Amino acid sequence: MCYSQDSFVSSRATYYGSPECLGTPTGACGYKEFGSILNGGEVSGVSYKLFKDGVGCGACYQVRCKYPPHCSADGARVVVTDHGEGDHTDFILSNRAYNKLAIPGQAEILFSYGVVDIEYRRIPCQYPGYNLMFKVHEHSRYPNYLALIAIYQAGVSEITAVELWQEDCKEWRCMRRAYGAVWDLPNPPEGAINLRFQVSGSKWIELKSLIPSDWKTGATYNTAIQLD
């Protein structure tokens, strides 16, 4: 599904609670604790049509409500970290993001509604000072099982495939989308690993020796590039 950065789509939004008003560390995208603090905790779970089996993880949206005079003009700018649907909603916002829908002093009114009419549009993600990185997911087990997740993914491009180079076979091996934004592969190649990924279903970007031979669970590896 394509979204113009100029046009808004009408929908509904609600919120989920957390003690710190941040995102959830158990989101369906697999970001773990990073997903609770990403974008200052202004994150959201989205409906199936926006989640897109995990392809929509990491996408950014501008969401604003439609209850004048309570709603702010800009609303909230959120990053997708989870999948979830409420009462005909496309967004389940963190408390911090839901609070941004209101003008100062009016948030309590919006919270009392529980669900609000909104409009949203896809916008480019921005991470000033950060390149795209691949993190070795917490589920990885060296050296027999490697799972990766992309973080600080800017722009509006989507990663639709990830492959690792198997030197002894002279072929690219496809990683499986395990769930959300997590890609995995049992018995990964030995030595430093060349990785390539497909952007929005067409362009391939190759990264040589991105993952070192002694990769570690939880480590992040800088691609030195950023997406558009």
Side-chain angles (χ1 to χ4, degrees), residues 8 62-65 69-77 100-104 119 121:
F8 283 86
Q62 180 183 5
V63 181
R64 60 190 190 191
C65 64
H70 309 303
C71 299
S72 64
D74 290 334
R77 296 171 183 264
K100 283 288 187 72
L101 299 181
I103 61 174
E119 56 185 10
R121 64 177 177 178

Side-chain angles (χ1 to χ4, degrees), residues 23-33 35-36 81-83 179:
T24 172
T26 59
C29 288
Y31 293 120
K32 298 293 186 179
E33 290 294 336
S36 65
T81 59
D82 199 2
H83 166 240
Y179 69 96

Side-chain angles (χ1 to χ4, degrees), residues 1 152 177:
M1 184 180 295
Y152 298 119
R177 186 184 290 277

Side-chain angles (χ1 to χ4, degrees), residues 125-188:
C125 295
Q126 298 180 343
Y127 299 106
Y130 288 92
N131 293 320
L132 173 69
M133 299 183 184
F134 278 91
K135 179 181 179 181
V136 178
H137 197 267
E138 287 83 350
H139 291 168
S140 299
R141 295 293 179 268
Y142 181 85
N144 300 316
Y145 174 73
L146 176 62
L148 299 173
I149 187 166
I151 60 176
Y152 298 119
Q153 182 179 332
V156 294
S157 299
E158 297 170 336
I159 295 176
T160 56
V162 180
E163 297 181 348
L164 305 183
W165 178 250
Q166 185 81 40
E167 177 62 27
D168 54 353
C169 299
K170 303 298 182 184
E171 67 177 11
W172 288 100
R173 292 178 60 190
C174 298
M175 299 192 81
R176 175 187 68 131
R177 186 184 290 277
Y179 69 96
V182 179
W183 301 85
D184 71 353
L185 183 69
N187 302 312

Side-chain angles (χ1 to χ4, degrees), residues 95-136:
N95 279 22
R96 286 196 181 185
Y98 196 86
N99 186 75
K100 283 288 187 72
L101 299 181
I103 61 174
Q106 298 294 302
E108 186 174 340
I109 294 175
L110 295 188
F111 277 106
S112 71
Y113 292 154
V115 179
V116 293
D117 293 326
I118 56 102
E119 56 185 10
Y120 69 90
R121 64 177 177 178
R122 180 80 181 268
I123 59 174
C125 295
Q126 298 180 343
Y127 299 106
Y130 288 92
N131 293 320
L132 173 69
M133 299 183 184
F134 278 91
K135 179 181 179 181
V136 178

